[in-house]
Amino acid sequence: MSAVLADFPVHTPVTDEDLLVAALAVRVHVPEYWPQGPLCRSERVPYPCRLARWGRATLVAAGLPDEALAAGTVAW
C-alpha cells in the first residue's frame, strides 16, 4: 500500500515538458480551506496532494527556489 501513496519521482535533469506540467500542477492543485482543514481544490484530498508535491519538487529540482513558490512570487 505504501507504493500507492508514495510521491511521484522527480526525474533529473528536468526537461522543458516536465517544467510545463509541474507549473500547471502547482497552479491547479492549490489548497481550499474547509472546516476539516485544507483540501486540494482538484482532488479533494488533504493538501498538499501528490501532484502538488511533485510539481513543487520538480520546480525546485529545476533551480527555482522553494521560497519563491511559498511566497507566490513566481509569475507563470
Side-chain angles (χ1 to χ4, degrees):
M1 186 66 169
S2 63
V4 174
L5 300 176
D7 283 348
F8 297 119
V10 175
H11 301 289
T12 53
V14 178
T15 65
D16 290 342
E17 184 177 324
D18 290 338
L19 283 176
L20 290 172
V21 175
L24 181 62
V26 169
R27 289 185 69 190
V28 171
H29 294 266
V30 296
E32 276 189 347
Y33 297 94
W34 292 84
Q36 64 268 32
L39 299 177
C40 174
R41 180 176 70 184
S42 295
E43 297 184 26
R44 299 285 187 240
V45 298
Y47 182 81
C49 67
R50 288 175 56 185
L51 276 174
R53 291 191 306 265
W54 173 84
R56 286 182 175 275
T58 300
L59 293 175
V60 168
L64 188 66
D66 196 37
E67 296 82 34
L69 290 171
T73 58
V74 179
W76 308 103

